[in-house]
Amino acid sequence: SRQLAAADSRPEVRGKALEERGEGRGTGAGAQGERLKTSWLEDHPDVVRLLLPCEDQLQQLFELCEGIEGAGVTLPEALEGKNCCHSLRCLIANMQVWGAVGNPRAEGADFALLTEKGQEIPQNLLEIDQFLSKDDVSAHYVSPIRLEELMKTLHPDVVARYHRQLARMRVTVVWREFRRRQSLLQGALGNLQVPPGDLDKQLDLDRLVRTVLLHLDEIGGFISLLAGFFKSVDLVNVDDAQAGHDARPVIDRSQAGYAMHVDCGHNGPLDEVDLRQLELHLRVAHFGMAAV
């Protein structure tokens, strides 16, 4: 009857059926650890289409990972290559040495500078953010007079430290927002249903949802691990650092130099902000100045 068919689609009934098929929770590799392969998705397009109501949430969750960035390369871009492990190592090394470029054209301060409610953003970070900003309508405006003062006093080491701090803050912000969005998405995925009476398709949908959640947990776990690493680096004990256990890189700038982030492309002209950065480096290097 229709009532029995509808009852078969209830979560508790579906769970019992999964256990009978060796796919329920706590039954080992066939259950929570099950990962559907691409071939399965190609063979079940009708089941995959059932995820369409959650498409936007999934897309927004993945786009959030673009906030994890080192020297202009984002996490999704690093995973596009054939050797993902090597690319991830390079990304983390870039975050440690060069930091994050950020988005100089974003309105106001970079989103990663937004701290928890009630916690003020350090003024020195805001000033450097404005010094590098290419947005005319900034929520944290620094006067032209102050910009001129920064041009005379700012050192490339301070700008380099800003980019490294920015990389850490972006990871923290992405981690918190990823958890929040993942929780909402998990609830939406749990409410997906098939038409009453099609128990097999409901079981397939449950398997697909579990696979999606497993992959999201792995991504979230990686971001959490990365955030925890940078936090431990920033909180390292001074005695440990003197004993050679400091995870922060010691960079000889006379050998490595500094990174100057521009977005003009290969053939485009440097804009006012780019020239401002260049002038800073030339001043500190005493380029074109008489030797003292």
Side-chain angles (χ1 to χ4, degrees):
S1 67
R2 292 183 178 179
Q3 291 181 341
L4 290 176
D8 286 343
S9 65
R10 290 178 299 173
E12 59 270 20
V13 176
R14 295 201 311 271
K16 183 177 180 180
L18 284 170
E19 292 178 358
E20 292 174 352
R21 290 171 51 173
E23 300 173 1
R25 294 183 178 180
T27 57
Q32 291 181 331
E34 179 188 32
R35 299 175 186 274
L36 301 178
K37 299 183 179 298
T38 305
S39 57
W40 188 96
L41 301 179
E42 295 173 347
D43 294 337
H44 299 77
D46 52 335
V47 179
V48 175
R49 280 193 290 269
L50 294 174
L51 297 183
L52 284 176
C54 301
E55 181 181 11
D56 289 342
Q57 286 179 279
L58 277 168
Q59 184 66 29
Q60 292 170 5
L61 197 59
F62 293 139
E63 289 177 351
L64 187 63
C65 295
E66 295 178 358
I68 298 178
E69 172 245 307
V73 178
T74 65
L75 177 59
E77 290 172 340
L79 297 176
E80 290 178 355
K82 294 182 180 180
N83 192 339
C84 294
C85 290
H86 175 72
S87 298
L88 281 176
R89 291 191 184 100
C90 291
L91 174 67
I92 296 174
N94 284 334
M95 294 172 69
Q96 276 276 70
V97 178
W98 305 116
V101 178
N103 183 9
R105 299 190 182 277
E107 182 175 345
D110 187 284
F111 85 93
L113 290 176
L114 299 178
T115 54
E116 293 183 3
K117 185 177 180 181
Q119 182 178 354
E120 294 185 359
I121 305 173
Q123 183 63 27
N124 63 321
L125 292 182
L126 290 177
E127 288 188 338
I128 298 176
D129 184 84
Q130 177 60 28
F131 182 83
L132 302 172
S133 176
K134 298 185 179 184
D135 171 59
D136 294 332
V137 186
S138 177
H140 303 279
Y141 179 75
V142 178
S143 69
I145 297 178
R146 179 54 182 159
L147 286 179
E148 288 295 328
E149 293 176 354
L150 290 173
M151 278 300 305
K152 297 177 181 178
T153 60
L154 199 59
H155 194 279
D157 282 340
V158 179
V159 179
R161 193 178 306 118
Y162 160 82
H163 285 295
R164 289 173 59 190
Q165 288 177 303
L166 183 61
R168 286 155 167 70
M169 287 187 287
R170 288 173 75 96
V171 171
T172 301
V173 171
V174 169
W175 175 50
R176 291 170 179 165
E177 184 63 14
F178 189 94
R179 288 191 305 170
R180 187 187 71 82
R181 296 187 186 185
Q182 183 184 8
S183 177
L184 295 175
L185 176 61
Q186 186 170 350
L189 290 172
N191 291 328
L192 293 177
Q193 298 285 337
V194 302
D198 198 340
L199 181 59
D200 288 337
K201 180 175 288 188
Q202 184 67 60
L203 295 176
D204 286 336
L205 175 60
D206 291 341
R207 297 173 64 195
L208 178 57
V209 168
R210 280 201 304 272
T211 298
V212 171
L213 294 178
L214 278 172
H215 286 296
L216 292 179
D217 284 341
E218 283 200 352
I219 297 173
F222 171 76
I223 299 174
S224 175
L225 185 65
L226 195 59
F229 166 74
F230 282 129
K231 183 177 181 180
S232 65
V233 168
D234 293 335
L235 297 179
V236 67
N237 189 285
V238 176
D239 296 333
D240 293 338
Q242 294 176 347
H245 303 302
D246 191 353
R248 287 175 290 191
V250 179
I251 306 170
D252 184 356
R253 293 296 180 180
S254 65
Q255 298 293 324
Y258 298 92
M260 181 176 147
H261 304 294
V262 298
D263 58 1
C264 59
H266 292 288
N267 301 316
L270 298 178
D271 59 27
E272 179 183 355
V273 177
D274 297 333
L275 292 174
R276 185 188 301 162
Q277 289 190 68
L278 181 59
E279 183 181 348
L280 166 66
H281 289 284
L282 293 178
R283 172 180 59 79
V284 174
H286 301 288
F287 184 83
M289 299 176 63
V292 179

